[in-house]
Amino acid sequence: MKVIIFGATGMVGQGVLRECLLDPEVKRVLLVSRTPTTERHGKIREIIHHDFQDFTPIEAELDGYDACFFTLGITSVGRSEADYRRVTYDITLAAARVLSARNPDLTFVYVSGTGTDNTERGRVMWARVKGATENALLALPFSAYMFHPGVVYSVHGEKSKTRWYRVVHTLTAPLSPLLLRLLPRLLVTTEQVGRAMLTVARQGWPERFLSNRDLITAAGGRPQGMSGPRGGTP
């Protein structure tokens, strides 16, 4: 299996990349980034591309892939709807449209969030924008799946770029094993998200929208090692 990852420098993307590198069925991992990552591995190839509004200059290099794991995103806190939509909707669709044209059999997995509003008419800004993004992805000619995690916990030291996520991690790290056991509807680990993506890429899933509990099921259960929380719904 050959995989493309967008957002590999973020917390969820770091966890997904780790699982791809550990999986013997994944033979190649293409990272599309605006800045170089520090990852070095025989499976990895990296493209540095600065204009995430237009991927046509590199479209030929995106041919021949089986799956795309799209983990790129920003928090909506303190942002206007136009700014949040530019990253959440415009960039995602710019990548997805090129990929669907070049790889019609590709599986596209999009990390969204619990509470996404697919009616696109609700009062919560981030939920409307995420819902519009999901609806547009589902209309494209590839197999698209929407991941709706709650709060995502780091397992292997993945770091969030958002400061308040890191603060929450520091404060709640001692309680994370207990919280993960008690709140399976709300909490999931980076490891589980990565494993669930690989499961969906290999064999699909009965539904296009995967809840937090679905992610745990697709991942095959909880890992042994757990550390504090990162990110979740925007």
Side-chain angles (χ1 to χ4, degrees):
M1 184 161 59
K2 294 183 287 185
V3 172
I4 300 174
I5 300 177
F6 286 82
T9 60
M11 183 268 298
V12 174
Q14 293 168 44
V16 172
L17 174 59
R18 179 182 184 276
E19 297 309 309
C20 287
L21 297 180
L22 290 173
D23 193 311
E25 293 185 19
V26 176
K27 303 302 181 185
R28 184 186 305 170
V29 181
L30 176 64
L31 307 182
V32 182
S33 308
R34 278 176 285 209
T35 56
T37 70
T38 59
E39 296 292 339
R40 298 294 179 267
H41 192 282
K43 290 184 182 182
I44 292 177
R45 180 178 173 234
E46 189 168 9
I47 295 177
I48 304 303
H49 181 66
H50 298 290
D51 185 2
F52 268 38
Q53 299 285 337
D54 181 11
F55 291 96
T56 54
I58 62 168
E59 62 181 338
E61 298 181 74
L62 306 179
D63 277 351
Y65 285 85
D66 303 297
C68 174
F69 299 149
F70 201 93
T71 69
L72 188 153
I74 58 171
T75 179
S76 63
V77 176
R79 299 181 187 274
S80 68
E81 182 164 352
D83 187 32
Y84 185 69
R85 185 181 179 91
R86 180 184 60 81
V87 175
T88 302
Y89 183 95
D90 294 349
I91 288 178
T92 305
L93 268 296
R97 286 170 180 145
V98 168
L99 287 170
S100 66
R102 308 292 299 204
N103 304 283
D105 296 325
L106 177 135
T107 297
F108 190 97
V109 181
Y110 177 63
V111 177
S112 187
T114 299
T116 295
D117 176 17
N118 293 95
T119 72
E120 304 179 35
R121 296 191 298 269
R123 293 185 177 183
V124 181
M125 180 272 282
W126 76 261
R128 288 196 311 271
V129 175
K130 286 279 193 180
T133 305
E134 291 186 355
N135 291 338
L137 290 172
L138 290 167
L140 291 174
F142 52 26
S143 295
Y145 294 90
M146 310 299 133
F147 276 26
H148 288 183
V151 177
V152 183
Y153 272 70
S154 169
V155 179
H156 301 289
E158 298 90 352
K159 302 293 184 183
S160 172
K161 293 182 177 180
T162 304
R163 183 178 179 276
W164 69 268
Y165 286 172
R166 297 195 299 269
V167 172
V168 172
H169 161 245
T170 301
L171 295 175
T172 63
L175 298 176
S176 60
L178 177 62
L179 293 173
L180 284 159
R181 285 194 297 271
L182 293 178
L183 301 172
R185 292 181 180 274
L186 300 177
L187 308 178
V188 67
T189 69
T190 49
E191 182 176 309
Q192 288 170 320
V193 173
R195 289 182 179 180
M197 284 192 171
L198 290 166
T199 295
V200 169
R202 272 192 281 260
Q203 62 193 47
W205 196 256
E207 305 292 336
R208 294 294 178 174
F209 302 93
L210 285 81
S211 69
N212 204 79
R213 192 176 287 276
D214 290 327
L215 300 185
I216 294 171
T217 301
R222 294 198 177 280
Q224 293 300 310
M226 298 175 183
S227 62
R230 304 284 196 275
T233 51

